[in-house]
């Protein structure tokens, strides 16, 4: 039982970071109806920004954190302007967006390999390693912080989208872009805002992930799993993305703990396929209609 | 011939087989797959099992390459039929995501099969045979004839109808599911054959070769060549296989340029090199005739505008 609870808390902690990443996929999907595969590259840059903030510039943690999140928000906006805006203006089919996104992801990843190098780098130790004992459970301080920070960011995001005028504009555009534009919403700014929000969360996720593991140029590959989580919960739905991520994190850690860590990734893809077959729109996704 | 150039040509020929299949699926049927590397992996592993000479602790049957090609293609076709049964009813990019999931799942399965080397890979224990270029060329010709004749047939026209407007095609009485399936299985067989040839060429296979990047590479070639154009796919496979070699001069920067080039193509020339056009005598006549018709129309419009001002 203790082992199960231990695995559960580990799963919740990694699941909450997946949620930060998955929400970025879902935000963009809800507005633009395509899967933004460049998101993984942005998360990776977030991890590097935080790393250089702490090591090269010797910034205090909060400042490095701010630098990383501001940096990724900016990068996400630049990617949108360069790689997607011309396609949006032309009303290109979704496949062109996906290919463009893959090009952007390839560019970011290899740019980092070419300039910084492919070797993984460890974050400087900030959080003490020794865990907090809670009865028989040993809670890692970092795991706890990951969970709290992620939960706080997600709560703020939900409040922003539910309670502010800008949030309402995002909701309206997600519902119907054309009608929102006719009602006087500047949908172009909404797109920028969505990419900025997704980029900000990508920065948070990148720093947390880097602290837990390491920084390396192919961190983006991990975000494929958060993308699966987004599909699992239902693309385009924020609560779905969070629920899917937490479930995936928990299932993964349980599989790794009780079966074999070899099968962890395989299970993720099996879940993806299973969900698509049984319920293609995920747990709470929006339905895809035929164009006629 | 220079063995370096020969190597690039062989690789381009191998890519072409897979690209032709994907061109049929994406360019003529309108289905997008991010999992074709998975079908290549099945072809490569089955083909290797059939052709590798049994030695030491390595499994293998030591059959000729032709058997490997047929067997690898058939295995990929069977798996794609199973995949199609459960995914072809998915709408929009959910089909795309499902193929991505299958492609990665297939790769991860091979990652865990220790008998075939698992993630360490499987050295096939042979040296590269330069004569295999003729096998590759022959397979290319067969694949081109197959796809070209298929898209010109009634079946091919049904596929194009599905690409243009799925609902209308269904209303006209086309069995949409069946023709999507024919297209998917044909393209997977070709991907499987390409996988066998790739294993034979590299003399070493590893699940990592068949990752998402490989699937993306194939899709990029199809789009670069132009959707709905077989000659575009041929040209695309030749040019884009050679491009990383040309860029090799830039060393680690070449993939950076490659990524940037992909974005540039998407935003500046989305129809690719030859979207919807064919470089055959008939195809060229058609392009020229259309151009003449456009010019005539423009000239007439100009004359009328002049007449109106008088």
């Amino acid at each position: 039982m203790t082992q199960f609870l231990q695995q559960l808390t580990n799963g919740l902690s990694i699941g909450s970071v997946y949620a930060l990443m998955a929400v970025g996929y879902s935000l963009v999907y809800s507005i633009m109806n395509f899967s933004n595969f460049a998101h993984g590259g942005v998360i990776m840059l977030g991890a590097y920004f935080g790393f250089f903030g702490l090591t090269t510039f010797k910034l205090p943690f909060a400042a490095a954190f701010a630098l990383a999140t501001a940096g990724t928000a900016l990068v996400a906006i630049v990617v949108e302007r360069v790689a997607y805006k011309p396609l949006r203006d032309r009303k290109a089919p979704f496949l062109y967006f996906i290919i463009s996104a893959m090009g952007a992801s390839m560019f970011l990843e290899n740019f980092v390999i070419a300039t910084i190098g492919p070797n993984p780098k460890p974050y400087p130790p900030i959080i003490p390693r020794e865990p907090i004992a809670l009865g028989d459970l040993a809670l890692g301080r970092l795991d706890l912080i990951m969970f709290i920070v992620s939960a706080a960011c997600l709560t703020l995001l939900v409040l922003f989208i539910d309670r502010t005028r800008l949030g309402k504009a995002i909701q309206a555009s997600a519902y119907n872009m054309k009608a929102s534009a006719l009602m006087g919403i500047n949908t172009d700014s909404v797109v920028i805002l969505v990419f900025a929000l997704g980029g900000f969360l990508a920065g948070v996720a990148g720093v947390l992930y880097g602290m837990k593991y390491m920084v390396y140029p192919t961190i983006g590959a991990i975000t494929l799993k958060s993308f699966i989580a987004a599909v699992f919960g239902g693309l385009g739905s924020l609560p779905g993305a969070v629920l899917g991520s937490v479930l995936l994190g928990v299932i993964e850690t349980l599989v790794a703990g009780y079966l074999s860590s070899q099968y962890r990734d395989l299970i993720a893809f099996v879940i993806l396929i299973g969900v698509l077959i049984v319920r293609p729109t995920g747990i709470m996704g929006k339905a895809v209609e035929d164009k006629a | 011939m220079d063995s370096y150039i020969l190597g690039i040509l062989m690789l381009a020929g191998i890519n072409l087989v897979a690209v032709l299949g994907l061109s049929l699926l994406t360019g003529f049927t309108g289905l997008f797959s991010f999992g074709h590397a998975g079908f290549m992996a099945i072809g490569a592993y089955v083909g290797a099992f059939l052709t590798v000479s049994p030695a030491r602790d390595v499994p293998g049957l030591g059959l000729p390459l032709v058997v490997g090609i047929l067997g690898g293609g058939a295995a990929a076709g069977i798996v794609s039929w199973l995949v199609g049964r459960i995914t072809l009813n998915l709408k929009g990019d959910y089909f795309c995501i499902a193929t991505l999931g299958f492609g990665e799942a297939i790769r991860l399965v091979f990652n865990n099969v220790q008998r075939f080397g698992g993630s360490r890979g499987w050295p096939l224990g042979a040296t590269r045979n330069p004569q295999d270029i003729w096998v590759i060329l022959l397979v290319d010709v067969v694949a081109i004839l197959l796809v070209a004749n298929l898209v010109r047939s009634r079946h091919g026209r049904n596929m194009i109808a599905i690409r243009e407007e799925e609902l209308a095609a269904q209303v006209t009485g086309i069995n949409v599911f069946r023709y999507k399936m024919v297209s998917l299985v044909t393209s997977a067989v070709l991907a499987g054959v390409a996988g066998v040839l790739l294993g034979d060429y590299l003399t070493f296979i590893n699940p990592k070769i068949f990752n998402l990047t490989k699937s993306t590479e194939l899709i990029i070639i199809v789009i670069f060549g132009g959707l709905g154009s077989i000659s575009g796919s041929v040209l695309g496979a030749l040019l884009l296989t050679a491009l990383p070699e040309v860029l090799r001069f830039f060393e680690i920067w070449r993939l950076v340029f490659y990524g940037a080039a992909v974005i540039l193509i998407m935003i500046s020339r989305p129809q690719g090199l030859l979207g919807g056009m064919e470089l055959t005598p008939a195809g060229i006549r058609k392009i020229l005739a259309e151009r003449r018709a456009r010019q005539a129309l423009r000239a007439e419009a100009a004359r009328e505008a002049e007449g109106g001002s008088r």
Side-chain angles (χ1 to χ4, degrees):
Chain A
M1 192 63 200
T2 322
Q3 197 203 347
F4 178 75
L5 282 177
Q6 187 72 55
Q7 301 284 4
L8 198 66
T9 50
N10 291 346
L12 281 175
S13 129
I14 190 69
S16 62
V17 178
Y18 284 162
L20 286 179
M21 304 177 180
V23 162
Y25 278 110
S26 252
L27 268 176
V28 172
Y29 190 90
S30 71
I31 297 283
M32 291 165 74
N33 282 312
F34 84 100
S35 315
N36 174 22
F37 285 114
H39 197 56
V42 178
I43 291 168
M44 178 267 301
L45 282 179
Y48 272 100
F49 288 154
F51 174 78
F52 285 116
L54 288 169
T55 54
T56 315
F57 300 115
K58 304 261 186 299
L59 293 173
F61 182 71
F65 198 73
L67 174 83
T69 50
T72 47
L74 195 68
V75 171
I77 294 172
V78 170
V79 168
E80 198 283 321
R81 291 280 104 175
V82 174
Y84 308 143
K85 176 82 167 55
L87 299 176
R88 253 184 326 118
D89 292 345
R90 211 175 54 220
K91 300 192 170 43
F94 79 94
L95 185 84
Y96 290 100
F97 284 92
I98 294 189
I99 302 283
S100 204
M102 295 219 158
S105 151
M106 207 186 285
F107 176 86
L108 293 176
E109 200 174 297
N110 288 293
F111 184 80
V112 169
I113 293 179
T115 49
I116 302 168
N119 297 331
K121 294 177 198 296
Y123 257 62
I126 308 156
I127 315 289
R129 285 272 163 202
E130 59 271 20
I132 303 166
L134 195 80
D136 289 338
L137 288 180
L139 296 180
R141 282 168 207 262
L142 187 57
D143 288 327
L144 214 57
I145 288 173
M146 278 162 77
F147 186 77
I148 292 168
V149 172
S150 305
C153 285
L154 292 172
T155 314
L156 283 177
L157 179 74
V158 170
L159 285 178
F160 178 78
I161 288 181
D162 268 357
R163 300 286 162 84
T164 63
R165 280 172 63 85
L166 286 173
K168 285 272 190 306
I170 295 180
Q171 282 184 37
S173 307
Y175 191 73
N176 190 329
M177 196 98 162
K178 214 182 268 171
S180 308
L182 289 173
M183 296 300 123
I185 294 173
N186 185 345
T187 47
D188 196 45
S189 317
V190 169
V191 170
I192 296 182
L193 176 65
V194 161
F195 272 88
L197 285 174
F200 171 79
L201 296 174
V204 178
V207 171
L208 291 178
Y209 193 86
M211 276 159 63
K212 171 91 181 172
Y213 301 98
M214 287 208 181
V215 254
Y216 47 91
T218 49
I219 286 183
I222 281 297
T223 63
L224 202 56
K225 272 198 238 162
S226 70
F227 169 69
I228 293 174
V231 177
F232 188 16
L235 268 176
S237 152
L238 297 189
V242 174
L243 184 65
S245 305
V246 172
L247 281 176
L248 184 69
V250 170
I251 294 172
E252 256 191 26
T253 7
L254 290 181
V255 168
Y258 286 101
L259 288 171
S260 145
S261 57
Q262 291 269 324
Y263 291 107
R264 199 180 53 196
D265 294 356
L266 189 57
I267 291 289
F269 286 103
V270 169
I271 289 176
L272 171 72
I273 294 163
V275 167
L276 285 173
I277 293 167
V278 180
R279 196 175 157 75
T281 49
I283 304 173
M284 30 178 74
K286 62 177 180 182
V288 191
E289 284 167 31
D290 245 330
K291 52 183 165 176
Chain B
M1 203 190 311
D2 190 345
S3 73
Y4 174 63
I5 307 266
L6 182 71
I8 297 172
L9 280 178
M10 287 171 90
L11 204 55
I14 293 166
N15 275 337
L16 176 57
V17 181
V19 165
L20 280 169
L22 201 57
S23 180
L24 177 72
L25 187 70
T26 305
F28 290 97
T29 323
L31 290 171
F32 301 108
S33 160
F34 275 111
H36 263 51
F39 298 130
M40 282 183 83
I42 293 172
Y45 274 86
V46 172
F49 177 72
L50 291 171
T51 54
V52 164
S53 357
R56 298 185 305 276
D57 51 343
V58 192
L61 300 178
L63 297 167
L65 182 59
V66 184
V67 182
I69 290 173
L70 294 175
I78 291 166
V79 173
S80 76
W81 183 78
L82 291 172
V83 172
R85 286 285 305 220
I86 35 187
T87 60
L88 276 177
N89 279 325
L90 293 172
K91 297 260 177 280
D93 54 352
Y94 282 102
F95 174 75
C96 199
I97 294 164
T99 54
L100 186 156
F102 266 106
E104 287 290 284
I106 291 168
R107 178 176 69 83
L108 289 165
V109 167
F110 283 120
N111 235 349
N112 286 308
V113 179
Q114 294 310 325
R115 190 155 170 74
F116 295 143
S119 57
R120 277 170 292 119
W122 183 9
L124 305 180
T127 50
R128 186 184 303 166
N129 181 0
Q131 294 302 319
D132 282 350
I133 180 82
W134 302 112
V135 179
I136 293 169
L137 276 177
L138 184 69
V139 173
D140 281 340
V141 171
V142 171
I144 290 172
L145 288 177
L146 172 78
V147 175
N149 280 314
L150 185 59
V151 297
R152 274 207 309 261
S153 70
R154 187 166 61 90
H155 308 293
R157 284 199 300 275
N158 287 347
M159 290 173 191
I160 294 172
I162 294 170
R163 175 191 74 189
E164 292 299 321
E165 184 57 71
E166 189 176 326
L167 206 63
Q170 195 158 21
V171 172
T172 336
I174 296 171
N175 187 339
V176 170
F177 187 82
R178 183 166 154 234
Y179 279 103
K180 280 183 175 178
M181 184 66 98
V182 173
S183 181
L184 176 67
V185 172
T186 313
S187 76
V189 168
L190 289 176
V193 170
V196 179
L197 294 172
L198 189 64
D200 178 65
Y201 166 82
L202 295 172
T203 70
F204 174 80
I205 49 179
N206 178 337
K208 217 189 230 165
I209 299 170
F210 305 102
N211 59 11
L212 186 58
T213 317
K214 184 73 193 172
S215 297
T216 317
E217 193 191 315
L218 295 176
I219 276 259
I220 288 172
I221 296 179
V222 172
I223 297 216
F224 176 76
L227 288 177
S229 166
I230 296 168
S231 32
S233 296
V234 176
L235 210 59
L238 274 173
L239 289 176
L240 285 194
T241 311
L243 183 66
E245 303 300 327
V246 176
L247 292 177
R248 203 167 279 281
F249 169 69
F250 298 103
E251 292 175 21
I252 49 174
W253 285 91
R254 72 198 166 98
L255 285 171
V256 182
F257 290 123
Y258 195 78
V262 170
I263 301 177
L264 204 65
I265 294 168
M266 284 301 108
I267 60 181
S268 61
R269 194 176 163 80
Q271 73 272 42
L273 285 180
L274 298 168
M277 297 187 269
E278 290 297 350
L279 286 185
T280 54
I284 292 169
R285 271 202 297 280
K286 194 172 143 217
I287 297 167
L288 291 178
E290 273 170 14
R291 174 167 295 176
R292 265 201 302 278
R294 263 205 307 277
Q295 273 166 357
L297 221 69
R298 217 174 293 140
E300 201 171 314
R303 254 204 314 282
E304 257 173 39
E306 233 172 69
S309 67
R310 206 174 287 154

